[in-house]
Each structure stands twice: as structure tokens, then as C-alpha cells.
């Protein structure tokens, strides 16, 4: 069967992202403890887990902003330890937890610089802004002249501007109000599907993870403690840790249903 979006046939193409027995320690303490994870091409993964569980560390290793003490990380089958990290980063869209826009450039320049450096080409900045719900008027401002949520949208537009196949987002919706958050989540999922991306989204919001992702990976204390589809999670098939985390959205949904009666 052929579909519009390029999808890998299992067993043929290399997975978009693969961690093999990855350990990362800081001062003897494991931020990641022998983590193995494979993300197939075209899949949308939500990475959840409490603060300090190792989510950002995992993403940073994929982009070689950090290096493992043990194990290896492969992007499209290639070990990121070999090769040029700059070339690697030009292939991966990355949204930082703290956004990290260039303060002295306009918003439009922040979006345009990536493709210019990576491919020497210009992109349609107006469309890139529009895709994340911003306008050309926002593009003319400096990042500091935008709200936190608007800056986060620019971060997403900037990551997408280089036309990556792999998109890594570290809590990109942290400073957004719930309505915008929901809208931008849908936008992200739509772009994931239409561009045939492989996406890893770090989020603290279990509802968001369940509603947006094909697969939810849950971390705790540097290990993966659950890895399942949203449906499996909701059917209680993902283990005790997943059930504990799911208890909160379940209880909230039940309380809302009660109030509505
Ligand atoms: N540069 C560093 N030096 C020392 N410890 C670090 C460093 N970076 C991360 N850690 C530790 O590694 C662990 C994992 O951190 P990480 O940032 O990956 O967590 P996280 O899951 O992203 O948390 P959050 O949800 O708060 O962003 C934490 O205990 C953190 O304190
Ligand atoms: Mg983090």
C-alpha cells in the first residue's frame, strides 16, 4: 500500500532515531541509565516523565549537544559520534526547552537564518509564521518584543524552516495558554503528517501526549518505564507506572463528567 507521506517499511529503512544502551552520568549520578529506544520513521512519539527523569538529556544526545558515557545514538542509521555535528544539526529540527532565539535578530531573521546557513536558500518566512499562527508584523519584531508563547511558536517555525525529517521538541508548549496549546498541538500533528516527519515531543501533559502521539514513552530516574500506544495505555496495558500517571487525567475527566451532569 502506498500512502502520501513517506513511511518506512519495517525491516527495510534504518529507524529515524535509535538509542542503544545509552548511559549519561553527571558526577557519578546517572541522568540516563542504559536506555534503549528505537523510533521508526514517520512515528510521533511523546516523551513524558517527571522533572529530572532524563528527557532533555535524551534529546540533547540525538543532536550531539551532549555525549553519552556509554552506548551509542544513531540518526537514520548513522552513529552521531562520527561525522560533523554541524551537519547533523542541519538535518534535525530542534526546539529547545528555553526557546533560545537570537536576541539581536528580528523574528523573521531568526526563522530564515537556519535554511540560509544549511542550504544557502531563502524560505517563505510569511508562510512559516502563518503556520504557527503568527503574522508578518510579528516577524519584524525582536524576540524580546513577543510574549513567551509567541516566542515558543517562533521556536517551532525556526525548527521546521530547515525542512528536517526528524523533529525534536523539548516542552515547546510550556508558556502557552490551554487554547493556543491545543491549537498548536494540532498544527504540529498536521505538519508531522503532511511532511512525513518523525517527531519526538517532550511534554509534561499526559493528555497532550495521549491525544497527539502514536506512541508514548514514559521515563523515570533515567530509565524508560513504559512504552506503549495511547490506546494500550488507556486500556491499562502499559504497566503500573503508566497507570499511576494516567490516574490524574482519568480522575479529572471523571470529575468534569460529574460536574456536567
Ligand atoms: N550539566 C549537568 N550537570 C549536572 N547534572 C545534570 C546536568 N544536566 C542534567 N543533569 C541532571 O540529569 C538529570 C536529568 O536531567 P534532564 O534535564 O534530562 O531532565 P528532564 O527530564 O528534562 O527534566 P525537566 O522535566 O525538569 O526538564 C537531572 O537529575 C539533572 O539534574
Ligand atoms: Mg527537560
Amino acid at each position: 500500500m502506498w500512502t502520501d507521506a513517506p513511511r518506512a517499511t519495517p525491516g527495510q529503512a534504518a529507524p529515524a532515531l535509535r538509542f542503544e544502551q545509552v548511559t549519561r552520568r553527571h558526577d557519578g549520578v546517572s541522568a540516563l541509565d542504559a536506555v534503549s529506544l528505537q523510533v521508526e520513521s514517520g512515528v510521533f512519539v511523546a516523551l513524558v516523565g517527571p522533572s529530572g527523569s532524563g528527557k532533555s538529556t535524551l534529546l540533547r544526545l540525538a543532536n550531539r549537544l551532549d555525549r553519552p558515557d556509554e552506548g551509542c545514538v544513531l540518526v537514520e542509521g548513522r552513529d552521531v559520534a562520527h561525522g560533523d555535528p554541524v551537519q547533523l544539526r542541519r538535518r534535525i529540527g530542534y526546539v529547545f526547552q528555553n526557546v533560545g532565539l537570537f536576541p539581536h535578530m528580528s523574528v523573521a531573521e531568526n526563522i530564515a537564518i537556519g535554511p540560509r546557513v544549511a542550504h544557502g536558500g531563502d524560505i517563505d518566512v510569511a508562510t512559516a509564521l502563518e503556520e504557527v499562527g503568527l503574522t508578518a508584523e510579528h516577524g519584524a519584531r525582536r524576540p524580546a518584543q513577543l510574549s513567551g508563547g509567541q516566542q515558543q511558536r517562533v521556536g517551532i517555525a525556526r525548527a521546521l524552516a530547515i525542512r528536517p525529517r526528524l523533529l525534536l521538541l523539548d516542552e515547546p508548549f510550556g508558556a502557552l495558554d490551554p487554547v493556543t496549546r491545543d491549537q498548536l498541538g494540532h498544527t504540529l500533528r498536521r505538519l508531522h503528517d503532511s511532511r512525513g516527519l518523525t517527531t519526538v515531543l517532550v511534554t509534561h501533559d499526559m493528555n497532550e501526549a495521549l491525544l497527539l502521539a502514536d506512541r508514548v514513552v514514559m521515563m523515570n530516574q533515567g530509565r524508560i518505564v513504559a512504552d506503549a500506544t495511547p490506546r494500550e495505555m488507556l486500556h491499562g496495558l502499559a504497566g503500573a507506572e503508566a497507570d499511576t500517571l494516567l490516574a490524574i487525567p482519568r480522575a479529572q475527566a471523571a470529575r468534569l463528567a460529574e460536574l456536567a451532569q
Side-chain angles (χ1 to χ4, degrees), residues 56 97 170-171:
S56 295
Q97 192 163 0
D170 198 346
E171 290 179 53

Side-chain angles (χ1 to χ4, degrees), residues 132-155:
V132 295
L134 296 173
T135 63
E137 191 271 314
H138 293 113
R141 299 194 210 168
R142 295 281 166 95
Q145 295 168 320
L146 297 180
S147 74
Q150 288 167 339
Q151 289 181 33
Q152 287 190 316
R153 296 182 210 207
V154 177

Side-chain angles (χ1 to χ4, degrees), residues 26-27 31 49-58 97 170-171 204:
H26 294 289
D27 310 317
S51 191
S53 56
K55 306 179 299 295
S56 295
T57 305
L58 202 64
Q97 192 163 0
D170 198 346
E171 290 179 53
H204 278 286

Side-chain angles (χ1 to χ4, degrees), residues 24-27 29-32 47-60 66 97 170-171 202-204 219 221-222:
R24 177 72 174 108
R25 294 185 203 90
H26 294 289
D27 310 317
V29 180
S30 291
L32 293 175
L47 190 57
V48 299
S51 191
S53 56
K55 306 179 299 295
S56 295
T57 305
L58 202 64
L59 286 203
R60 290 166 57 81
D66 193 6
Q97 192 163 0
D170 198 346
E171 290 179 53
V202 173
T203 176
H204 278 286
M219 296 190 68
Q221 296 190 331

Side-chain angles (χ1 to χ4, degrees), residues 17-160:
L17 181 59
R18 183 176 159 93
F19 298 87
E20 288 178 7
Q21 292 286 313
V22 170
T23 294
R24 177 72 174 108
R25 294 185 203 90
H26 294 289
D27 310 317
V29 180
S30 291
L32 293 175
D33 186 5
V35 168
S36 291
L37 174 69
Q38 179 162 313
V39 181
E40 303 299 342
S41 177
V43 173
F44 192 127
V45 171
L47 190 57
V48 299
S51 191
S53 56
K55 306 179 299 295
S56 295
T57 305
L58 202 64
L59 286 203
R60 290 166 57 81
L61 291 174
N63 211 14
R64 226 178 103 177
L65 294 165
D66 193 6
R67 284 167 176 266
D69 293 303
E70 287 163 35
C72 63
V73 184
L74 298 109
V75 171
E76 293 175 335
R78 276 174 282 180
D79 190 332
V80 301
H82 311 134
D84 178 7
V86 176
Q87 288 293 337
L88 174 76
R89 286 173 207 143
R90 284 177 189 169
R91 293 192 287 126
I92 303 177
Y94 197 100
V95 180
F96 293 87
Q97 192 163 0
N98 54 4
V99 189
L101 299 174
F102 301 116
H104 303 299
M105 290 183 191
S106 72
V107 163
E109 285 164 348
N110 262 280
I111 293 170
I113 183 116
R116 204 172 292 148
V117 170
H119 323 295
D122 281 322
I123 62 147
D124 180 355
V125 175
T127 304
L129 284 164
E130 204 179 301
E131 271 178 348
V132 295
L134 296 173
T135 63
E137 191 271 314
H138 293 113
R141 299 194 210 168
R142 295 281 166 95
Q145 295 168 320
L146 297 180
S147 74
Q150 288 167 339
Q151 289 181 33
Q152 287 190 316
R153 296 182 210 207
V154 177
I156 294 171
R158 184 179 60 170
L160 286 167

